[in-house]
């Protein structure tokens, strides 16, 4: 539908006024608990994009990668050598690869101990907990302990949690929740294999 110039100008002026009003009202500053979940692609990529912003501002980033740590990741290659990024891989592969609940629980506990260390260290500005939602879904960690630690985090610490099946209690606690929803998928629907620069 075509819009005439005057109507367009009035519309954009209203948008600008609304934006400026919301911007003026938003005066609080705090560390955010951010959750990327859903069955679509892009959850970890979105988290690592935020991590790049943190590093771009000269701030310190911590990453704990659960579950898929055994798989090669180009993001890890880049972030892992950055002076302001502390990148820990604790996953041993997807649950269908490991097929060992006790080992998965032990690995998750190791990763959570590292996450707690980062969260309690005031030098970190953001901590990304990649695939933690899967860990919580399979009850490899005590969900309430995780939620309590998030609720008690330092005032200006940002925490980003990724993975499918975010628990309702985490969604309730979070400040920002995004759900990735698949519309079309090359691997599942078209038989196109995972490719460098896209999946890894």
């Amino acid at each position: 539908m075509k819009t005439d110039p005057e109507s367009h100008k009035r519309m954009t002026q209203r948008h600008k006024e609304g934006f400026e009003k919301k911007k003026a009202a938003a005066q609080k500053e705090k560390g955010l608990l951010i959750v990327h979940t859903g069955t679509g692609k892009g959850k970890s990529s979105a988290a690592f994009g935020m991590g790049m912003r943190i590093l771009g501002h000269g701030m310190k980033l911590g990453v704990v990668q659960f579950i898929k740590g055994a798989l090669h990741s180009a993001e890890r290659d880049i972030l892992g050598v950055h002076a302001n990024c502390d990148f820990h891989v604790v996953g041993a592969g997807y649950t269908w690869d490991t097929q060992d609940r006790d080992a998965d629980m032990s690995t998750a506990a190791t990763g959570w101990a590292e996450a707690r260390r980062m969260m309690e260290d005031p030098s970190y500005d953001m901590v990304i907990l990649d695939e933690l939602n899967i860990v919580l879904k399979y009850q490899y960690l005590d969900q309430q302990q995780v939620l309590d630690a998030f609720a008690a985090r330092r005032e200006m610490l940002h925490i980003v949690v990724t993975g499918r099946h975010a628990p309702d209690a985490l969604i309730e606690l979070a400040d920002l929740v995004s759900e990735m929803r698949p519309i079309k998928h090359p691997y599942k629907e078209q038989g196109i294999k995972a490719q460098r620069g896209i999946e890894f």
Side-chain angles (χ1 to χ4, degrees):
M1 181 173 148
K2 200 168 181 179
T3 305
D4 66 86
E6 280 304 312
S7 296
H8 179 76
K9 184 175 182 179
R10 287 193 298 271
M11 177 190 70
T12 53
Q13 284 174 338
R14 285 196 302 272
H15 285 314
K16 180 175 174 57
E17 288 166 6
F19 171 77
E20 294 296 341
K21 186 176 180 180
K22 289 177 183 175
K23 183 178 175 183
Q27 295 298 314
K28 292 188 292 185
E29 190 172 0
K30 60 166 284 195
L32 300 178
L33 176 57
I34 300 165
V35 176
H36 295 305
T37 192
T39 56
K41 284 182 57 58
K43 298 177 288 293
S44 297
S45 298
F48 290 138
M50 289 184 172
M52 293 291 287
R53 282 197 199 114
I54 286 286
L55 296 175
H57 283 289
M59 301 161 82
K60 187 172 180 181
L61 172 68
V63 179
V64 179
Q65 193 166 47
F66 295 88
I67 303 293
K68 60 187 179 187
L71 305 173
H72 172 258
S73 160
E75 299 101 319
R76 189 187 313 153
D77 293 344
I78 295 293
L79 295 174
V81 298
H82 195 287
N84 278 359
C85 181
D86 190 3
F87 202 121
H88 287 263
V89 179
V90 295
Y94 294 116
T95 52
W96 59 80
D97 290 325
T98 61
Q99 300 179 16
D100 187 334
R101 180 173 175 78
D102 289 341
D104 288 341
M105 290 181 72
S106 177
T107 301
T110 299
W112 180 240
E114 191 58 47
R116 289 299 304 267
R117 180 193 68 78
M118 292 176 178
M119 290 164 59
E120 292 165 7
D121 182 339
S123 70
Y124 290 87
D125 298 288
M126 174 181 282
V127 176
I128 296 174
L129 304 176
D130 190 35
E131 301 294 349
L132 180 64
N133 287 334
I134 300 297
V135 169
L136 296 177
K137 172 184 167 56
Y138 287 109
Q139 300 178 350
Y140 294 161
L141 294 173
D142 183 278
Q143 178 178 300
Q144 194 56 54
Q145 286 185 4
V146 171
L147 295 176
D148 289 346
F150 288 166
R153 71 190 183 277
R154 290 179 283 111
E155 185 179 7
M156 291 308 298
L157 175 64
H158 302 296
I159 297 176
V160 186
V161 179
T162 76
R164 298 177 177 216
H165 312 297
D168 291 341
L170 175 58
I171 290 172
E172 179 65 27
L173 182 64
D175 300 291
L176 171 63
V177 180
S178 295
E179 181 178 14
M180 309 299 185
R181 184 170 64 91
I183 303 296
K184 200 173 184 181
H185 197 292
Y187 172 70
K188 293 178 181 177
E189 298 165 9
Q190 303 168 60
I192 300 172
K193 68 179 184 179
Q195 299 179 76
R196 286 189 305 165
I198 305 299
E199 278 82 16
F200 58 91

